[in-house]
Each structure stands twice: as C-alpha cells, then as structure tokens.
C-alpha cells in the first residue's frame, strides 16, 4: 500500500485525474524515437552544440535549427512538428558545430494520430 509520500495529491490530480500529457516528444541518441503523436513538438536533446538539419518532405524543403545550451551539460532544439498530420515523417541529421562534422546518418520519426503519449523505439 503506497504511503503518503508515494502518491502526492497534486501529482495524482494532474496525471491521473486530469490526464495531463507533455507537449513534447523527446529524442536522444540513447533513446531514438521512431514515432510520436500528432500535436506534439519533437525536442531533440544532444550532448554537444549542433545544428539540426531537418525536413518534413523527404529533403525537398530544408530547415536548420541550432541547439540551445541548457547550462547543465546538454543542448536541445525544438522542431515545430505540432501541426504535422498523422502519416507525416520528420527526417533529420546533425551538423556538429564544434567539430564541423556531419553525423552522416538520417533519423526518421513518424507522426501518428492514435497515441496519447510519445512512444519509444
């Protein structure tokens, strides 16, 4: 039986009663997402300064998003994916700015409309 410290009432209210979910889906090298819910923002987290080179139309249109230093040993960039429709895909790669080197691999995240939360690989 959970004790009083295991189930704070504010947390129960927020996540069990109100069913609040994060507006972000997190992608990291140690947790590479392959799909995410429509209506969420793809937050890419890395350990070094980078420019994320990305597209939602198979490289026909290109975007570059520079990461922000968290001042906690990491960097992130939010890709504005919250308006993409189910069936869309985000494709991205990295230009590592300090090393002036491309990652050399593309990563894909599919947008799905049936999930309530960001799901993993």
């Amino acid at each position: 039986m959970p004790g009083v410290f295991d189930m704070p009432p504010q947390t129960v209210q927020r996540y069990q009663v109100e069913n609040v979910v994060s507006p972000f889906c997190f992608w990291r090298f140690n947790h590479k997402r392959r799909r995410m819910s429509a209506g969420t923002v793809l937050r890419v987290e890395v350990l070094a300064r980078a420019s994320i080179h990305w597209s939602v139309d198979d490289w026909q249109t290109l975007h570059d998003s520079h990461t922000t230093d968290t001042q906690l040993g990491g960097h992130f960039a939010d890709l504005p994916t919250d308006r993409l429709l189910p069936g869309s895909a985000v494709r991205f790669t990295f230009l590592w700015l300090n090393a002036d080197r491309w990652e050399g691999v593309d990563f894909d995240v599919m947008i799905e409309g049936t999930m309530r939360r960001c799901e993993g690989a």
Side-chain angles (χ1 to χ4, degrees):
M1 168 85 48
V4 68
F5 298 107
D6 296 326
M7 303 268 305
Q10 300 88 344
T11 305
V12 170
Q13 177 68 30
R14 181 177 174 94
Y15 296 107
Q16 291 183 353
V17 176
E18 297 173 13
N19 201 26
V20 172
V21 294
S22 174
F24 299 101
C25 180
F26 298 88
W27 187 99
R28 301 175 188 102
F29 274 96
N30 65 347
H31 200 82
K32 298 172 185 165
R33 304 290 186 177
R34 291 189 296 191
R35 58 189 186 276
M36 61 185 275
S37 295
T40 56
V41 172
L42 182 60
R43 175 166 283 182
V44 179
E45 297 181 343
V46 292
L47 297 176
R49 195 169 67 97
S51 178
I52 301 170
H53 190 64
W54 60 280
S55 178
V56 295
D57 56 10
D58 201 25
W59 299 122
Q60 298 302 305
T61 306
L62 306 174
H63 307 278
D64 290 299
S65 297
H66 289 276
T67 58
T68 299
D69 189 341
T70 65
Q71 303 296 311
L72 298 170
H75 300 258
F76 76 93
D78 293 336
L79 306 188
T81 55
D82 53 326
R83 295 189 182 204
L84 295 178
L85 298 175
S88 301
V90 180
R91 178 168 287 160
F92 60 95
T93 191
F94 300 90
L95 173 61
W96 302 106
L97 298 175
N98 291 345
D100 193 27
R101 176 185 60 82
W102 287 96
E103 180 65 24
V105 176
D106 292 347
F107 301 94
D108 294 305
V109 179
M110 295 297 301
I111 310 299
E112 296 184 354
T114 58
M115 300 181 311
R116 292 273 306 145
R117 296 178 189 266
C118 186
E119 294 187 10

